[in-house]
Amino acid sequence: MTCEPVLAEAFFLLRQLRSGQEMILQWLEQGALRCSFSVHQEVNPLRELWKKYRDVPMSLADACLVRMSETHRQAVVLTLDSDFVVYRKNKKDRIPFLHPDY
């Protein structure tokens, strides 16, 4: 489960690896990866997260993942972003995440 801002960021990071970009599209096509988050419907919570973490600073993709972790309680975030050590869901709870360096 993911969202469009994360897909955009992933495509940017994989810009030199077209086969990686193609793999993401295949996962979407096959249903192994799906976008089930509406930025439009979550503007206010996203704005609050963005304000709270303005010193980090927080990207839209990160804000969406934090918000998704709040709405999907058992979620584990897969990320390359070390800022997830700092981010909290529901204002105080650590977000379970997988990161290659941790």
Side-chain angles (χ1 to χ4, degrees):
M1 196 175 351
T2 193
C3 59
E4 281 89 356
V6 169
L7 291 176
E9 199 167 288
F11 261 71
F12 175 77
L13 292 172
L14 293 169
R15 66 191 175 278
Q16 302 299 322
L17 187 62
R18 291 190 58 82
S19 62
Q21 293 175 328
E22 178 59 33
M23 183 62 69
I24 291 172
L25 293 174
Q26 286 178 14
W27 289 340
L28 286 164
E29 235 174 11
Q30 297 166 354
L33 187 61
R34 58 187 167 92
C35 294
S36 61
F37 182 84
S38 169
V39 172
H40 176 76
Q41 292 177 349
E42 298 289 342
V43 168
N44 289 329
L46 292 172
R47 181 181 289 123
E48 290 305 312
L49 287 166
W50 181 70
K51 286 179 185 177
K52 178 180 179 179
Y53 293 106
R54 70 178 153 257
D55 294 338
V56 173
M58 177 181 259
S59 71
L60 178 60
D62 289 355
C64 290
L65 289 174
V66 171
R67 181 64 184 144
M68 289 174 73
S69 76
E70 292 175 338
T71 60
H72 301 280
R73 302 204 188 285
Q74 301 302 316
V76 176
V77 175
L78 174 61
T79 183
L80 300 175
D81 192 331
S82 61
D83 292 333
F84 278 84
V85 171
V86 176
Y87 299 149
R88 297 290 182 261
K89 64 180 181 176
N90 305 315
K91 299 184 180 179
K92 61 181 174 26
D93 299 328
R94 295 187 74 175
I95 299 169
F97 70 94
L98 298 174
H99 186 284
D101 294 336
Y102 293 93

